[in-house]
Amino acid sequence: MTEAAYETLPELESSETRIGASTVVMKFGGTSVADPEKIRRVAARLVDTKRSGSRVVAVVSAMGYHTDELLDLAHQVSPQPKPRELDMLISVGERISCALVAMAISDLGTAAISLTGSQAGIVTDTVHGKAKIVEVKAHRIHQELDGERIVLVAGFQGVSTEYDVTTLGRGGSDTTAVALAAALGADACEIYTDVEGVFTADPRLVADAQKLHAVSYEEMLEMAASGAKVLQLRSVEFARNHGVKVHVRSTFTDEPGTWIREEDERMLEKALISGVTHTVEEAVYQVDGVRPADLFEALAAAEVNVDTIIQMDSRIVFSAPVEDRHQAEQALAGLEARFAEQHGLGKVSVVGAGMKSHPGVAARTFAALRELGVEPKYVATSPIKIAFYLPQDSVEETVRALHAVFDLGSPAAERQHA
Ligand code: ADP
Ligand code: ASP
Ligand code: MG
């Protein structure tokens, strides 16, 4: 059972082939634009890239924790804000940062223009809070690039087919960037963030985690779906579906980072396991007395993205994103079923394309859990992942133990094979 729900391909306006300069899409996360000094540094990097001869499109996230602050503000005003109004509010953070970057670029003597998601031609469906991109109408961006301007696009947002402002879900600026890279036929999508790339585990948790040189789309899908928030899951789906090469790297250095791209023989040879990912909060529901078809129909109608499903006789256990909790509870309450949410669970997953062809990964993993005395509550697998639902307070020690068991702290884990 895999957790990655793949999206249908959105329409991309066929971009005319432009002879000459190549296009690069560069995305800067919240930490990269957290204060005026950092905004000026991002501006300088964009100007340098433009001067080296590229057509530059930059996608920026809201400054620092601005999105969290706006969400908090909304909840202080209203216990259950209307999704449409929430999108109007939280899309503002990205508008602010992209206007500021454009100002800083102008001060460096280079022309720049900021665009909202809507002005940039990002058309989505009507699902507020986690809208999907259905089309990218890139003519305005092309027009501005033809005018020799650096184009700043507010990430994380679009305009729905009903002409409302929508947002793409937490971390959605990654998806804006990859979608634009696909629509513009960019050479690569550069994701600038506060770590140097994709690591064998969250570097904030595991001190000897190693930066990976390259990760396949499939592995990155599993990693993003199971907690490696360095890339939003949807951005990886989009990149894989459109063959966009993604380069995750640090805003604060010029070091190369991690390439996300097609699987290649050397990736499989070099490592059994690519990473250990985790989440500290999972919404897991146990449901009795309802037919699975009725249950999942109700959840789908409520726009709940069901993740893991386990059925044992007439009992169904499923998980869904924590953000979908309210909708999931409403859908369950509407069914004549007994249900309970299981609190206090987190998840640790071991991901690696190498496990497809090497036996023994499950044996080593379960042996490590036995040694720790950790009892997983549920286990879910895909061909390249084993995921354990376990008590929140054992998540961190389990990540560290599994990272050590597969020797991911050794420099060989990087899989350098440029
Ligand atoms: P941004 O604001 O630039 O979009 P995010 O906070 O969304 O950045 O993502 C970067 C964070 O992802 C890092 O600070 C890191 O703590 C976390 N992270 C979790 N797992 C991983 C991993 N396997 N590799 C790299 N970073 C990871
Ligand atoms: N600002 C949005 C968020 O915090 C989008 C992003 O950062 O990608 O989720
Ligand atoms: Mg992010």
Side-chain angles (χ1 to χ4, degrees), residues 27 171 174 229-230:
K27 178 254 168 178
D174 297 331
K229 70 167 188 157
V230 63

Side-chain angles (χ1 to χ4, degrees), residues 27 30 61-62 67-68 94 156 169-174:
K27 178 254 168 178
S61 292
T67 311
D68 292 327
E94 270 67 12
F156 173 58
R170 297 310 304 266
S173 299
D174 297 331

Side-chain angles (χ1 to χ4, degrees), residues 319-333:
S319 69
V322 174
E323 309 85 79
D324 291 356
R325 188 174 265 145
H326 180 69
Q327 291 99 308
E329 281 169 3
Q330 280 197 322
L332 287 167

Side-chain angles (χ1 to χ4, degrees), residues 27 29-30 192-195 197-199 201-204 223 228-230:
K27 178 254 168 178
Y192 290 88
T193 184
D194 58 358
V195 285
V198 180
F199 282 70
D202 187 341
R204 290 178 203 283
M223 289 176 80
K229 70 167 188 157
V230 63

